[in-house]
Amino acid sequence: MVAQMRYTAAAVGGGLSPPPSTMKVVVVGYALTSKKVKSFLQPKLERLARNKGILFVAIDHSKSLSDQGPFDIVLHKLSGKEWRRILEDYRTTHPNVTVLDPPDAIQHVHNRQSMLQVVADLNLSDSYGKVGVPKQFVIKKDPSSIPDSVNMAGLRLPLVAKPLFAKSHELSLAYDELSLQKLEPPLVLQEFINHGGVLFKVYIVGEAIKVVRRFSLPDVSRRELKKNAGVYRFPRVSCAAASADEADLDPHIAEHPPRPLLERLARELRSRLGLRLFNLDIIREHGTKDRYYVIDINYFPGYGKVPEYEHIFTDFLLSLVKSK
Ligand SMILES: Nc1ncnc2c1ncn2[C@@H]1O[C@H](COP(=O)(O)OP(=O)(O)OP(=O)(O)O)[C@@H](O)[C@H]1O
Ligand SMILES: O=P(O)(O)O[C@H]1[C@H](OP(=O)(O)O)[C@@H](OP(=O)(O)O)[C@@H](O)[C@@H](O)[C@@H]1OP(=O)(O)O
Ligand SMILES: [Mg+2]
Ligand SMILES: [Mg+2]
């Protein structure tokens, strides 16, 4: 079902020409934070969408979702149990509306343990490379158990400590296991993998993928590890300001992972996670040609920073309606 809405002056907004009047409009309701609206719903996206017959409409939280629309697609990234319940109800009562993405699938990548489990289960290995996850375990409560748990799990130092819930972005690097007791659970402790200080962000929008390169934490040598102790906290690492797309780097480090490997990984994760909008952070172990680790998966990431995202995203929205 394509929500049949005629273009009106109010719907189109000032100054922009509507598409031909015969064109059916694809209505996309969105529930996003104001930060996300600013970064994602940029004028260049809205403009291109409008020319292709796609209209973005803000969902009004003071009204029932069923009383709004009709929508063809609902796009959302809001947290909270109540919102998840509203969406689940809406999905049941409006089976023809594509909700991007299902709330329970999103929940799966909110926890840093379940997030990487799918990659571990996939155990992807072919002529292009091998994709795994760093050894890791969860500390739920008692930080005094950390040193013993690290030894028992056979984790090699240094370790990265991340909040179990992916919404929080603090990151610590620990050179010894005793210092980890200072950190506040629930946490994921993960082996730090040397990767030449460069990481690849693979943005997925349905079947499309786009890869960017970012600077990351530098390698830690055996010598450095022996010399240092303690836990070091890092503010946001590998954020958009850390782009390394144009940097002059050692080609062994800069080279993107093979496209066929990423395409297979993206396809598998899309179906196993039941998500269509996500990105993954992948690193190549320094000194190897084909040993890859996925270290993070994010739902509906910052697409606004991806070159040409407006074309990729609008094509994707149209393909959803066409395939119905
Ligand atoms: N196991 C690891 N080995 C090496 N470096 C790592 C590892 N885990 C994380 N890092 C580095 O720390 C950064 C932040 O880690 P991660 O991506 O897990 O956190 P995040 O807060 O979820 O990030 P995002 O902003 O992408 O959501 C990574 O971009 C990478 O530079
Ligand atoms: O805000 P930005 O554009 O940086 O997008 C970031 C996004 O924040 P937002 O959803 O509030 O926008 C983050 O979401 P939360 O985990 O905090 O929910 C997470 O997905 C990051 O990985 C994104 O950065 P990217 O991986 O694309 O560099
Ligand atoms: Mg990350
Ligand atoms: Mg993340």
Side-chain angles (χ1 to χ4, degrees), residues 82-94:
E82 180 55 13
W83 172 244
R84 284 205 299 278
R85 196 192 53 74
I86 292 172
L87 272 182
E88 283 300 2
D89 287 353
Y90 184 78
R91 260 159 53 85
T92 314
T93 51
H94 297 73

Side-chain angles (χ1 to χ4, degrees), residues 199 201 281 296 298:
L199 130 163
K201 275 194 179 272
D281 294 347
D296 187 25
N298 302 293

Side-chain angles (χ1 to χ4, degrees), residues 112 115-116 133-136 159-163 165-171 173 190-195 197-199 201 214-218 234-239 279-281 283 293-298 301 305:
R112 294 193 195 266
M115 162 208 286
L116 295 188
V133 300
K135 265 194 202 160
Q136 68 170 31
L159 297 181
V160 183
K162 308 178 189 182
F165 300 106
K167 191 76 215 135
S168 175
H169 299 282
E170 287 152 33
L171 182 95
L173 186 64
Q190 201 175 74
E191 278 188 352
F192 178 85
I193 312 283
N194 281 338
H195 55 285
V198 165
L199 130 163
K201 275 194 179 272
R214 299 256 174 97
F215 285 111
S216 172
L217 292 176
F234 288 88
R236 207 71 189 258
V237 187
S238 312
C239 60
N279 75 359
L280 54 93
D281 294 347
I283 54 179
Y293 292 87
V294 173
I295 54 170
D296 187 25
I297 300 176
N298 302 293
K305 293 167 293 192

Side-chain angles (χ1 to χ4, degrees), residues 71-82:
F71 301 124
D72 297 295
I73 295 166
V74 168
L75 203 56
H76 69 100
K77 187 172 180 182
L78 291 179
S79 47
K81 246 194 194 145
E82 180 55 13

